[in-house]
Amino acid sequence: MDLEDDTTILTTLKSFNTFISRHEHPQRPSEQSGSGNLQPHYKRSMEFLEAAERVHSQHRYLQLDQEKKQMELSHKRARFELEKAASESARNLEQEVDRNQDLLGRIKVLEEREKEARKNLSEQVEANGSLRKNLDGLNKQLDERDAKLTTVDQTVTSLRDEIRDLRQKIQTQDATISSQTLENQELQEQLDLQRRKYLEASQLCQSLQAEQSSCSEHVIKIKELERRIALQEQDVAIVKSVKSEVARVPDLEKELKRLREDNAFLRDSRENCSLLKEEVEGLRKKLERMEKKKEELVNIELEKEVNCLALCVCRKPEDLSREVIQIQHREIALKEQNYTLSIRSLEHSQCEVGAKLTQQCGRTVEEQKKREAQDALIRRLQKRLLLLTKERDGMRAILESYDGELASNEYSPQLSKRVKEAEDVLQKTQNHNAEMEAQLSKAQEETGTLKLQLQKTLSSHTFSVMVPILVVIAIFRQKIEELEKDRQRLEEQNNILEMRLERHNLQGDYDPVKTRVIHLKLNPTAEAKQQRQQEAGAVQEELTRLRELVRSYQEGGVASQDDSSIHTPDLRKQMESSELRNQRLKEVFQKKIQEFRTVCYVLTGYQIDITTENQYRLTSVYAEHMQDSLLFKKGSNGSMHLMETEFSKTLGEMVTLHLHHQKSIPAFLSAVTLDLFSRQTTF
Amino acid sequence: MTSTLKGITLKGSAELVAEFFSFGINSILYQRGIYPPETFTRVTHYDMTLQLTTDPKLKNYLTNVVSQLKEWLFECTVQKLVLVITCLETNEVLERWQFDIECDKSSKESSAPREKSIKIIQDEIRSVIRQITATVTFLPLLETPCAFDLLVYTDKDLVVPDKWEESGPQIINQSEEVRLRSFTTSIHKVNSMVAYKRTDSV
């Protein structure tokens, strides 16, 4: 149709004007058909077109007829052509009509299809929305699953690690089991060994018992011998004393000498005693003689006096009797003197002898006491001997038990050493015991000899020999006791020291005289320490540097040497300036936007606000109410769509005309503006 | 060193013991976590799987020490080998693995091989290493970073080599001691034990 229009021949100015006026109509629909989504619009335009066409063709017909009539003669040919063209155009018209109908049918179909498509589209959109939601949900789930997966992975790795650890543990446990079985075997071997040892020990016990029995036999023998000694004391003791006391012979000889001297002295005293007795007897005899002589003398004197009386009768008999009495008195005094003298001397000698006797008696008593003491001592020593033998047996038993304990422990060279040492100690103690026994026997012999000596001394009243022997015995006893104590103490010390030595050895101690400890200079510990020190140094340096930095910052960030501290003020300045610029730009933008909006408002009569994203609200200057506004939404392809509001519902006509048919938002808006304006101004 | 050989010589014994030390030290380092487990690789020896380090530095150090030790074992001048584990933070000795070595010095004079098959010796060594592995169950956990050192107790008359120097015995203050198994090649006898620092919690 447009093609035909294009080829229209312009005959007159009028026809041209009509053409011009006509031209506008079909042009627009063709333009708007490009958007092609509004089916009724299109249909209507098509109808318009058709009607116009018809009118046009009729018009042309008339024109042509007029022209024909006017220029029939001059333009016959043209007319003919025109007629032809007319017929053609008629034909075309018919064709076009047919095509139109076809197209109409097609359009209907397409419309239906479009509706369906729209429905589908909306459904699709909804489905899309739901799908998107689903997708988002799925995405979330996916994320969650991913997270779960990662966690699961982590757990799997951790579990793998655990498995590995467990495997290792199993291995180690296998190892321990095998080692323990090995240990078990070893322990069984040790058990066998211990059994063997036990057998040996039992054998040793048997031997020990045998030895003990022999020992007891020996003891019995010793007792027998002692008895024999007691029986044959004198002979054997003499022989033994002679043999053992060779060294003491001079002493004994001295003692003998002394005793002999004592004996001699005692003999002398006895002789003296007998002499004194003789003297006493002599004196008695003398006394008797003297008495006799006195009597004789008295008699002679009496005779003399008688003679005197006889001679001197002249004298008075009284005088004579007085004289006789005097003489008699004198005689009596003399006699008395004589008697007293003799009695005194006798008494004196008697006293001396008695004292000596009592002394001797005391000595003998002392000797007897000492002998008893000696006997008791001997008995005690015998008891001691028995105790010592018992002790020795006990020690042996202890040592054996010690051996047993040692054997029950783990076999090792140290233990064997210890056993050897203990055995040595045992040997020593046995030797010591033997020595002690020897000493005891010696002491017994000595006691035997002492007994002999005692008897001797008793016989000869000598006892001074006993004293040194007793002292010696006491010393020996003391020595034995001391040595026994020392031995026990040393044994304990030895044990303690051995244990300490073992412990020190375990802890890694060493004898610096025999051993030296060396290690490689470049050992991992030294390296690690060095590395650590270096790291520590580096960290320290960094720390000091950072501290300085912090200090410099605290001082206000004044000129510092560090690079970073130089940068920061610059950066700060830059930041401040940029912020300032931003601020200014914001202000400027705001101002400009405000200006632009007011300009838009003034020029177009609409205030445009952005409610939400891609949604624009237009409020007219002439709006009757404040809430009268239009809402537009921007599509994804940039096209704008009117949204339904309370106000837009009242503009149904304008919407259908300007938006559905003309598809022009500015036209719609201007129409609304005009409408509102007209409403306001009419009032 | 073949198992068909019946007897054992001083040289063979020294090599066996040195080998034991190499594996023993490696397993202690692995078990006690002195070096990270990923730096170890599995090796089959003594009919058991053992961990052997792949750290080149540590390898070098161990080969140095073990080769020197072999010489001393051959000369019978070594008394003890001690592996000391020190805490790096406090420089405190936490563990001492002590291997007492008793050398039969008479074997230096008479070169006649002893009557002990290598299989039996290796069995003994295996049980010792197993026990080392099992000690992890009772030894306290090493929570701090630690390093180790090897001390060798030698005779006093030994000339100290260039790279070696004298050191202290590194005794643990307040220790618990546990004796482990021993093995003998009939020339060298190795008694092993471990001493560790007594913890207050126990």
Side-chain angles (χ1 to χ4, degrees), chain A residues 47-61:
Chain A
E47 281 168 1
F48 272 121
L49 264 173
E50 228 173 321
E53 205 117 355
R54 272 179 220 144
V55 168
H56 196 205
S57 56
Q58 277 178 347
H59 202 78
R60 213 189 281 168
Y61 244 108

Side-chain angles (χ1 to χ4, degrees), chain A residues 236-249:
Chain A
V236 179
I238 286 159
V239 172
K240 275 180 183 174
S241 68
V242 167
K243 273 179 189 171
S244 61
E245 297 281 313
V246 172
R248 292 188 189 191
V249 164

